[in-house]
Amino acid sequence: MSKCISAAALALAFGLSAGVAHGNEENQVSDPHQWLEGVEDEKALAWVKAQNARAEAELAATPAFRTLESELLAIYDSDDKIPGVYKQGEWYYNFWKDKQNPRGLWRRTTLEEYRKPRPQWEVLIDLDALNQAEDENWVWHGADCLRPDYRRCLVALSRGGADADVTREFDLENKTWVEGGFFREEAKGALSWIDADTVYVYSDFGPGSLTESGYPRVVKRWRRGTPLTSATPVYEGKPDDMYIAAMHDHTPGFERDFVSRTLAFYNDELYLVGADGALAKVDAPNSANKGVHRQWLTLELREPWEVGGTTYPAGSLLAANFDAFMAGAREFEVLFEPTDTTSLAGSSWTRNHLVLNVLEDVKSKLWVLTPGDDGWARRPLAGLPEFGTVSASAVDDEESDALWLTVTDYLTPTTLMLGDAGPDAPAPEVLKTMPTFFDASKHVVEQHFATSKDGTRVPYFLVRPKEAKPDGRNPTLLYGYGGFEISLTPGYSGGVGKGWLEKGGTYAVANIRGGGEYGPRWHQAALKQNRHKAYEDFAAVAQDLIDRRITSPAHLGIRGGSNGGLLTGNMLVQYPELFGAVVIQVPLLDMRRYNKLLAGASWMAEYGNPDVPEEWDYIRTFSPYHLFDPANKYPPTILLTSTRDDRVHPGHARKMMSKMLESGQDVRYYENIEGGHGGAADNRQAAHMDALYLTFLWQQLAGEQGAPAP
């Protein structure tokens, strides 16, 4: 695995235990709905259960709902899904959920066995059996196994799907928990291996050990057999930092230790830990994504960087010899430089090559780069289809140039292939193909471009029935996100296909600013005081769908979750005339208090700090909770969230629902009691929640108010 340090990955990986949000007395007086922020408060939960019952009575009591829910569950539980695997030693590991194992199995097999249609698996941990034995509701959060023999693993388990989790040591040879082994109490954070008897621990050590965002502020080195209180401090960040972590690079011949200090999203410092414990900073821009692989340092720039007499543009990928860089040299090879239509979607090291995934107008192409005495050679990766979203990741970057390759699009089931980055490698071998979960023969995929308010060209994908008439009556679902430099590329979804497309619906995905479709510039164009540009982009896509007579406001619905829930919340209050139905999932909505609720403070680099008056002046312009006007009539709306979401506080959705109810809006609400930020803890819960929003949308957009249902 390439040792890439990602602030976003670190911050999104963990969360804080659910609880009553803190706030000052003035806020509690000024906001009569703030009592709903008491996550486990008895009165608040009674309110939640009453809203759930209303939503269930409206949406879940029909035979059509029960049919859709069972169809979705069959898809999510299907034994024919591709079991994604990762290699450790000679084994290939997978975590799997199905009807018989709703919480899941951690299991492994051999490559020879994996090639078979029905591989034989060795079960390592049965999470459902563990829950029954321990009277718990564990949700799998992953396992970190120690190289090179991979016998001991640090297993992370979450109660009900929360970001906060516990870490327990597991013996793969005996398939038992290690008695007296490493154990971390429930908190946001982790353990990571240094050697068989030593780990890094970054977690909640008591008062003052967490950042204001609720993430670890202190990292320590902990020896086996000693109490956690005796662990040796390695680094302590500041309270207003976001996340502190440490990791050991186990690559033979290149063993190194690093401390990562994340100040905010895409703002981090990386330190090399010396043999004496002293820290040496990797002196690259804080905004750059830093990666270390064997002798190489890679820097993916998010801002222009002038160094050594050369200015490298934002979005570039640079490579340098790591030891030479740490000694002061500033000689770089430019591995990628963006254009107006291209961006770097990702990169993956193999043993001898670096594979780049380049997006051109949100369509991907893979390139293989090979370092040599005369610089870096580059060539396209051969043998791949010319359509769809293509991605690559190393099978084992220490031992071979083997690659996992996936190809997918909105109508084509995902295919998994085993390839090789070498120049003389055979064509990739098809290992698995996802089954067809819906009839895609009647639809076609197109890409269009809308023009935003400031003239920016905004791409979007459209999946429509081939025979659809441009009469403005097609029930259409528009999806978006637009934040944290996350790109929305085409992918196969059995749930959307079965629950929307197969019924005759039209589906659109907007690649708005705030995302990463055109690299850092696309993301940075919608930060803080420019946040409105993401919403203008989304509204422009909606208007383009209407202008093309693909649909009309009465037949156009929207959906978004998390930051996408903030997006659809703003569409609700700022552009209500464009939509006939709005789905808001696990959302941010109260932007006055978001930085005081759970992990909210970690997103201030994206949205701004509402406690600074001049920043609140622009934040209030995209705070749906404050823009809501009870005198207005808004489109039919459903809000969905989770009690156990300890990343985005469920109080956002609860309080917005309460406001909308008070003013007599057409609104319904469903809160899953488990589920974490993903909304659901198992396939059954996921099928139920997806069936709720899909039923709601079809009723609103394709019933009496909309086009006749097929």
Side-chain angles (χ1 to χ4, degrees), residues 497-534:
K498 174 61 69 173
W500 191 255
L501 296 177
E502 195 173 81
K503 290 183 174 182
T506 294
Y507 183 60
V509 176
N511 302 114
I512 62 178
R513 282 175 285 184
E517 287 84 352
Y518 292 107
R521 68 179 178 88
W522 202 244
H523 173 228
Q524 294 164 11
L527 290 179
K528 294 186 175 181
Q529 66 269 26
N530 293 319
R531 198 77 202 167
H532 61 93
K533 293 185 181 296

Side-chain angles (χ1 to χ4, degrees), residues 307-483:
V307 61
T310 301
T311 299
Y312 301 97
S316 299
L317 180 67
L318 311 180
N321 179 277
F322 179 79
D323 291 337
F325 182 89
M326 295 302 292
R330 293 297 181 265
E331 298 177 1
F332 299 100
E333 181 84 12
V334 179
L335 304 185
F336 175 81
E337 187 170 310
T339 68
D340 288 343
T341 59
T342 62
S343 66
L344 183 63
S347 61
S348 181
W349 281 100
T350 67
R351 177 64 176 80
N352 301 296
H353 308 280
L354 179 62
V355 181
L356 304 186
N357 185 350
V358 176
L359 289 183
E360 181 160 7
D361 280 334
V362 207
K363 297 181 285 289
S364 55
K365 186 171 184 178
L366 301 184
W367 293 85
V368 179
L369 278 60
T370 307
D373 295 338
D374 299 323
W376 292 65
R378 65 189 63 218
R379 56 184 168 79
L381 186 65
L384 294 174
E386 295 294 325
F387 64 90
T389 299
V390 184
S391 62
S393 61
V395 174
D396 188 331
D397 67 355
E398 291 184 6
E399 294 186 358
S400 75
D401 293 320
L403 289 168
W404 301 119
L405 300 165
T406 59
V407 180
T408 185
D409 67 27
Y410 294 114
L411 300 178
T412 307
T414 303
T415 295
L416 173 68
M417 295 177 284
L418 181 60
D420 195 286
D424 301 317
E429 171 193 359
V430 174
L431 291 179
K432 307 283 181 185
T433 299
M434 184 181 289
T436 298
F437 286 123
F438 64 94
D439 181 4
S441 64
K442 299 177 182 179
H443 280 71
V444 63
V445 180
E446 301 171 346
Q447 186 182 41
H448 298 287
F449 292 83
T451 301
S452 195
K453 184 178 180 180
D454 64 359
T456 299
R457 189 169 176 256
V458 181
Y460 69 94
F461 290 100
L462 180 68
V463 188
R464 63 168 182 84
K466 296 174 183 176
E467 306 302 323
K469 297 178 181 178
D471 58 7
R473 302 185 69 226
N474 299 292
T476 301
L477 170 57
L478 173 61
Y479 178 78
Y481 186 78

